[in-house]
Amino acid sequence: MAKYAVLAQRTASSTLSVGAVTGAASTPRRCKIYRLEFGSEASPADNAFLWQVQRCTTAGTAGSSVTPVALDPADPAATTVAGQAHSVDPTVTANLMLLTIPLNQRATYQWQPAPGGELVLPATASNGAAIRTPTSSAVAVTVTCYIDEQ
Amino acid sequence: MYRPGGYAIITGPAGVVEMDTFTCGHHGGVVHVPAGLAATVALEAVSSVCFMCRQRICHACEKERQLTARCVTAEQRIEAMERVVEGDRNRQALFKAAGIT
């Protein structure tokens, strides 16, 4: 079990996805999201955001891929794939919302589960979680997601 | 909340809001427990306990359980997702071996 940090950023792109964490195409492994941090690094303004973490069945088309950073440098590279600044949103699964929280742009959100309360992503190729702001896409936002690969 | 499943913090210009969370035992998502209410009231406002798996679940999953009379835990859902794709992969391999594309 190795832990990784994924930093995804969307800089005013036209899609609603900030980032996605999905299983690898060939050798997917289960992973658990055990910490999340959302926020906006744009100039302070009163915009309303609805942040959502939703299960997805495709990885979409990421503007750039994100390499999960091993928290222990001795750990191998992650098999889990991450992307940011999508030009095509991941295909999200209706009614499988893992987390939803409305926030003002000036607010920062942190979530930390107790052991056993993590968000579990299946060991399935291209399946995982999309982190989105469906109410606003024109503001630069960042999410830091910590994952534990099984 | 007694034995919370997690903790959420919202930091904004108006101050800091902290609240307990729990992970729904059926759909596997995070549910926020409103802060500032009595622990039992807040819990009842957002959750139930499934009498079959004895896990805390959200209201949407409780409604589904009442309608279908079935208890499907988050782990069972994840395993089902993994099985479906594995089945597709096996089927595709079978078609490929048979020369059907």
Side-chain angles (χ1 to χ4, degrees):
Chain A
M1 295 201 291
K3 293 182 168 69
Y4 302 89
V6 175
L7 178 69
Q9 192 178 39
R10 188 193 61 208
T11 50
S13 73
S14 59
T15 63
L16 304 176
S17 292
V18 180
V21 178
T22 53
S26 57
T27 53
R29 294 168 65 177
R30 264 197 194 189
C31 92
K32 294 180 177 178
I33 298 175
Y34 70 92
R35 186 175 169 84
L36 278 168
E37 293 168 5
F38 306 146
S40 172
E41 69 271 41
S43 298
D46 278 326
N47 290 313
F49 283 91
L50 177 65
W51 285 87
Q52 292 180 332
V53 179
Q54 194 165 3
R55 288 203 190 281
C56 63
T57 53
T58 67
T61 308
S64 59
S65 59
V66 177
T67 305
V69 179
L71 299 191
D72 181 346
D75 282 333
T79 60
T80 303
V81 177
Q84 64 180 359
H86 288 69
S87 56
V88 178
D89 279 321
T91 306
V92 292
T93 311
N95 301 326
L96 278 180
M97 201 70 70
L98 295 177
L99 191 153
T100 177
I101 183 97
L103 289 179
N104 186 284
Q105 184 189 324
R106 296 173 195 265
T108 303
Y109 174 83
Q110 298 171 60
W111 170 72
Q112 173 86 51
E118 302 91 347
L119 300 177
V120 184
L121 308 182
T124 303
S126 301
N127 276 228
I131 300 160
R132 318 165 70 222
T133 57
T135 52
S136 173
S137 62
V139 178
V141 287
T142 294
V143 58
T144 310
C145 174
Y146 293 87
I147 59 172
D148 186 358
E149 218 171 51
Q150 303 298 295
Chain B
M1 176 182 176
Y2 177 63
R3 294 178 64 190
Y7 201 62
I9 303 171
I10 299 171
T11 311
V16 177
V17 177
E18 301 175 56
M19 58 191 125
D20 289 333
T21 67
F22 69 89
T23 305
C24 173
H26 280 191
H27 84 280
V30 178
V31 182
H32 295 88
V33 180
L37 295 174
T40 49
V41 174
L43 266 183
E44 284 165 9
V46 294
S47 72
S48 310
V49 173
C50 173
F51 70 88
M52 296 166 98
C53 65
R54 310 303 303 167
Q55 293 192 67
R56 190 160 290 286
I57 58 175
C58 66
H59 276 174
C61 289
E62 171 62 11
K63 275 184 194 162
E64 186 188 324
R65 193 192 60 77
Q66 286 175 358
L67 284 173
T68 60
R70 287 176 62 213
C71 165
V72 185
T73 64
E75 177 64 24
Q76 287 170 332
R77 284 170 203 256
I78 296 274
E79 284 172 358
M81 285 176 212
E82 291 170 348
R83 266 200 310 273
V84 166
V85 173
E86 187 60 31
D88 280 353
R89 202 177 294 135
N90 291 344
R91 201 160 42 246
Q92 282 167 10
L94 201 66
F95 286 163
K96 200 173 176 182
I100 305 165
T101 53

